[in-house]
Amino acid sequence: MDHSYNNKFSPETVADKHKSVLLSPELKKNQEVLTQRLAGCFDFMQREFSFGSPPVKASIIFFEGLVDKRQIENSLIKSIFINCNIFFRKEQNSEPSHADLLDTLKNKVLTLAEVKTVDNYEDIILQISSGDTVLLLDNCASGLVIGTRSWAARAISMSENETTVFGPKESFTETLISNTAMLRRRLKSSSFKMERLTIGRISQTSVCFCYIENIAPPALVANVKERLSQIDIDAILDTGYLEELITEEPYSIFSQAMHTERPDRVCGNLLEGKVGIMIDGSPMVLVLPVTFPQFANAPDDYYINYIPATLLRFLRIAAFAVSLLMTAVFVSLLTYHHEMIPTPLLLTIISARQGVPFPAFVEALLLETTFELLREAGLRLPNAIGPAVSIVGALIIGEAAVQAGLVSTPMVVVIAFSGIASFVIPNYNAGIITRIMRFVFLIAAGLLGLFGIMITFILLITRMASVSFFGIPYLSPVAPFNNKQIFDILTRRPWFSNTLRPWQEGMKNQKRYEPKPAPSSKDKKGASNES
Amino acid sequence: MKVKKILVIFTLTLILSSGCQGSEVPDLIFSIGLGIDWKENQIELTSEFIKPAPTEENSSEKGSSVIFTSQGRTLGEASNSLSNFLPQTPLWSHVSIVMLSENLCQTDVALVADYLTRTTEIKHNIPLLVISGSSPEEIFKTKPVLEPYISTSLALTLQNEEKQLNIYKPVLMYEFMRKLIAPGIEPVLPQIKKTTDGEKDILFLDGVAVFKGQKMIASLNEAESQGYNYLTNKNITSGLLLINNPDDPQYFITFELTKLLVEIQPLIEKENNRITMLIQVHADGNFYEQSGSGDVLRLDKYPQLEQMVEDKINAYISNCIDRVQIINSDILGWGQLINQKDPHFWEQVSPQWDMIFPTINYQTQSDFVIRRTYLTRKSYYFQE
Amino acid sequence: MEKISSFQLKCLIALLIIPAAFFEEGPLLTAVLKNNAWLVPIGIILPGWLLFKMYLYIFRQNNISFPEAFNEHLGRFWGKIITIFYIFYFLVLCSYILRIYFEFMKINLLLTTPISVLFFLMLFIGFYALKKGINNIARLSVIIFALTIFLNIFLISNCIINGFKWDNLQPILSDIPFKASLIAFFGLIGVLGKAMTVFTLADFVAGDKEKTIKSSLSTVLIIFSLVISSTLLSLCATLHPSIIPSLSSAVLTMVRTAHISYFIQNIDILFISVWICGIYITLTIFWFSASILTQKAFSLRDNRFFLASSGIFIALVSASLSSTSLGLFVWTTKFMPFLNNCFFVFIPLFIFIKSLIKNYLPNKHNNESLSIKK
């Protein structure tokens, strides 16, 4: 039994077995080899034809569903038929070699935009799997790869997970090339680089990492490239795989990269010296390195006036604290620190908690778990019934539970409020951290009250302060404190004074633009002056 | 490494599950008011506990309370003995008022002062009252009219009275305890009395109880209490002053105080062994009300009106000081004032302060200014 | 490894001396000086500055490093002996701080929790932080310093707004007994002298070490004065000096009078909970200093073994300091000021004088030789 696939470090892989087997000059043999290799693939198509005088046998191979057949018909086969016959009638005396024929086809006949040569079976299979068409000629040990990619893909639509009121609405799709196109349209500079790798022994996924050359630290780019190239896995189906495979802290719950499906957000981060990683087949792009305070930033911040943007940022920071601590603090007050509750509120709570059979801690745990279940169920349900079930779950079950005396109304309100606060966090990854840590804080509160909450808080920030991703401390610029950058986190600087990018070690160019004085009312030329 | 981690988690679990038991709200019964009496050489503790209200939506009951009484040789014993018959643990952290009976205060406040200061549960910034003419149980059994609980009703009454009339300043527990301990000043506490108008019982503030050392020795009436408040309260911004209408003495003119500040300077003549207190009063007020008719509100009449108000203020202050000197309890803090001005002199005189205090002279000088007259600038003039 | 920046160092030193000072100095100063207690932290600025100058002089010649300076000035043998004493004293300080804080918590809060559980938890998180390294503790100190200072300002201003009585502070500067002033002065200077511990961290400081430590010490001196004097001022003004000496924790009693419109009351628990972060940093720094000194004195490769065993030592000493809270009060008012002054004032003073004399003597020797030449 072949165990080579079980050992990820085994040098022998499926691809390795067939690597570098060159094409045969005989067309028939090539066809036989390819048919044999791709046996069982019903979408594998071959179309034989001949052209010219004397006739030259040729074959085109492709996977149905990945190609634009019209392009094959009009730009490939038709070009060959029309042009080659005309061309060869002129030069009847000389019989060009088939290698020359290939060159002629490539340089003078074919009207398609993308034409490359290929000389081994593995590359042929890779290319036709990517949607290209391969043209093979008889008596020629090379073939031509013609770009005919076209498949039914999801159209560019609005982002479902990162909605904004202002600003661009389009989001990435599963097609790498359209994603790169969206970025290229926004960053029309020669220093905007996109490098491509292929990762995954079976999936052979195209992975593209992009950066802006004179802004991103070279060490970061090299680090990311090295980590990506060291990945050894059978398939990459989403960018989430990459995050775990290139991380420095594999056992950390903290999100080490930002996942986004918005091209404007990726461009904004690239302009701050970060690196973006995207793959073919996933609309999510990884942006790294990211620090925890940056999770409070939303794309909207940069599209509205800086004053409301700053206030909204404060709201998000407060919402983060509320979603993390509110339930735990409430449980600790109810269980240990009754004297802190204002007397009128205490009277309400006493009345509400009459007859509830569970201690506050258990009640909170049950409600939190129910809330998480509802949240997960809402994600899995079909769109048609999802909202209805969420409303049913939240309202009716909550109402029924309160009326049955299983839970108290104040606890339901607290859980709901902290749940809503968790939705305010713009980043899903940060939200997940909050959801997990909320339970930890709740347990600590149930055991030791406010003291337990503080112990957990100290442990949490110690852990976060000790973690660095790609050389950047996770709590930067809060810890280590950077007074210049801290305002970028707490406030949104107005564009007229936002001259510097957030600093990263090794960054070459921190200046966005030369500082100018803020626009003032004295600069205005009113109508009275013009008269 | 794995074994180490398991060991740490196991130890943590063991330790964290030991003895860190909190108390659930349904297992507790919250007290919102305390009444302490001294009966038959025992402390009698009466407490008003919150009775949880039903949670029906349309329930008209806001909440009710239940009164429990317990006895003990000390306050601590009395409070703990409530557990003999209560199904829940009493919690004292929401007590909003503590009432001491007259009997207890006249016997010895030190019977309860230590426990009230030492316990962590009872807040130190709650007001104290002395019950005059009744027992704490009778006070608690009074049916509250506008508030659900009698304790909160009394606490709010004190606050409201301070805002409106400013005759009695609420005395907080830590302030009372401080004055008990500090030399050169004696504490006072507002008094509460119970009366009935035939249909319902009414609790009202009437006078202050004067302490000397650990015991209550006398009371000041309302006028004397007003004088005491003028002399000791640095923050008088309300209150009414009635004077006779100068044109028609059977009627009254009312002024509303907006500010009253008293500065007391001790004048120490060591050679003559004489101490004189120079009391300067600066007050502002508004013309509040004129009962009867008569053209009183004229600018030329202002000096006369102001003089009458100043005399009234002086009268309040004099009444208070005279009474306090008769009682011979330095509730005005004159000993502290002398200590602040001349600590050496205070060291010499403090042992004989009881003999010196009644002999201290004082001079009062008031300065009152009429500021505003509300909606009408002139006296309301009736056609004859 | 990332070094400690200037700002981080300031926060570290501030957290090293301020949180524990609330417990140590409050009762002592108010007991001896009553209403003038708040003047002492202001008056300590000049002597404190001189003290820090003395430290800088002692450690300057040895690259600002702690044990090397003792070896240099006292010889290898005595230097090592003194270093060992300092190691034990830092551990005793950890035990004392741990015990006094949890005793205070037991009185006011978690009455049923065994104190051993609290010790274990605190030492566990301290151990965790030390395993992560001093640069992480430095990062944490910035966050915790901001939290504690914000809370301190809020509470002081709340107490001042709600219950400030100028009369309680009078008479100011009048009739201060000389003995009382000496006790107060030495009590406070001993607490301030704990900042000397920062020289054990000299190797981890970024940039120009001497300049960084010098500026940090100056800043912290001002912050310390302001914080402690404002706390004592509001204490005396709110509670009256006659009642303060009889309170277990006057600061907590003052905090219990704080309220927000009488709606939110009893926020002392919040104060205690945030305060614990400051105590945690204090404990961790002293513990770390002890481990660094041990590592240097005995040329150990790493300090992990020491951390574990010293944790047990701290817990045991904490538990055995005193069986009653009154005994702990005696430690606070008598033993700790004496020990603080010995280790942070008198021993450095002795070394300072010795160093001065040593530097002065070669000049005398040169003059004699010149005269001979003549």
Side-chain angles (χ1 to χ4, degrees), chain B residues 47 63 113 121 152 165 173 178 186 189 201 254 261 269 277 358:
Chain B
S47 179
E121 285 196 45
T152 47
L165 287 174
M173 194 191 305
R178 194 264 295 179
E186 302 288 349
L189 285 178
D201 296 324
T254 314
L261 198 62
E269 292 167 52
M277 290 294 179

Side-chain angles (χ1 to χ4, degrees), chain B residues 110-264:
Chain B
L111 290 165
V112 299
D114 183 84
Y115 183 80
L116 288 174
T117 328
R118 194 179 295 278
T119 182
T120 56
E121 285 196 45
I122 301 177
K123 295 192 285 264
H124 285 186
N125 58 352
I126 51 171
L128 294 177
L129 285 177
V130 171
I131 302 169
S132 176
S134 311
S135 71
E137 206 170 336
E138 286 167 23
I139 296 287
F140 279 121
K141 283 185 175 156
T142 313
K143 194 170 163 17
V145 177
L146 295 170
E147 289 286 321
Y149 311 106
I150 199 70
S151 306
T152 47
S153 173
L154 284 172
L156 289 169
T157 306
L158 268 174
Q159 282 178 24
N160 195 38
E161 190 279 331
E162 192 193 7
K163 278 185 213 164
Q164 301 290 330
L165 287 174
N166 226 324
I167 299 172
Y168 307 102
K169 184 169 159 43
V171 177
L172 305 181
M173 194 191 305
Y174 70 86
E175 192 60 38
F176 179 70
M177 298 304 171
R178 194 264 295 179
K179 286 182 181 172
L180 273 179
I181 297 171
I185 191 163
E186 302 288 349
V188 300
L189 285 178
Q191 284 181 164
I192 191 106
K193 285 184 179 158
K194 184 171 173 176
T195 187
T196 177
D197 67 349
E199 284 177 14
K200 56 183 182 302
D201 296 324
I202 300 169
L203 299 174
F204 65 101
L205 293 162
D206 185 30
V208 296
V210 174
F211 287 77
K212 187 164 176 161
Q214 293 154 212
K215 297 185 187 180
M216 173 183 160
I217 54 168
S219 297
L220 299 180
N221 63 24
E222 190 171 293
E224 290 155 0
S225 306
Q226 178 81 90
Y228 169 77
N229 204 26
Y230 286 162
L231 284 165
T232 54
N233 191 352
K234 303 279 186 216
N235 189 29
I236 294 185
T237 54
S238 57
L240 297 178
L241 275 164
L242 268 77
I243 57 169
N244 295 96
N245 188 329
D247 295 344
D248 198 350
Q250 63 174 317
Y251 293 112
F252 298 98
I253 293 170
T254 314
F255 286 92
E256 182 197 36
L257 280 174
T258 53
K259 185 181 86 177
L260 191 141
L261 198 62
V262 168
E263 287 168 11
I264 307 177

Side-chain angles (χ1 to χ4, degrees), chain A residues 336-337 339-345 447-451 454-455 457-459 461-468 473-475 478-481, chain C residues 2 7-8 102 105 109-110 113 118 121-122 124-125 128-129 132 136 139-140 142-143 147 263-267 269-270 273-274 276-277 280:
Chain A
Y336 291 97
H337 310 300
E339 57 270 23
M340 256 191 94
I341 308 174
T343 312
L345 183 59
L447 286 173
L448 287 166
L450 268 178
F451 177 68
M454 289 318 291
I455 295 284
F457 174 72
I458 290 170
L459 274 172
I461 56 168
T462 308
R463 177 73 181 130
M464 287 171 98
S466 67
V467 157
S468 294
Y474 194 54
L475 284 182
V478 176
F481 186 77
Chain C
E2 184 195 310
F7 185 71
Q8 285 173 343
F102 285 118
M105 267 188 82
L109 284 191
L110 297 163
T113 311
L118 305 173
L121 279 169
M122 199 63 162
F124 175 72
I125 58 175
Y128 180 72
K132 292 292 173 192
N136 295 311
R139 289 177 196 171
L140 276 180
V142 174
I143 300 172
L147 255 179
F263 184 69
I264 298 172
Q265 301 198 62
N266 282 77
I267 52 177
I269 297 141
L270 185 67
S273 303
V274 177
I276 200 178
C277 301
Y280 159 72

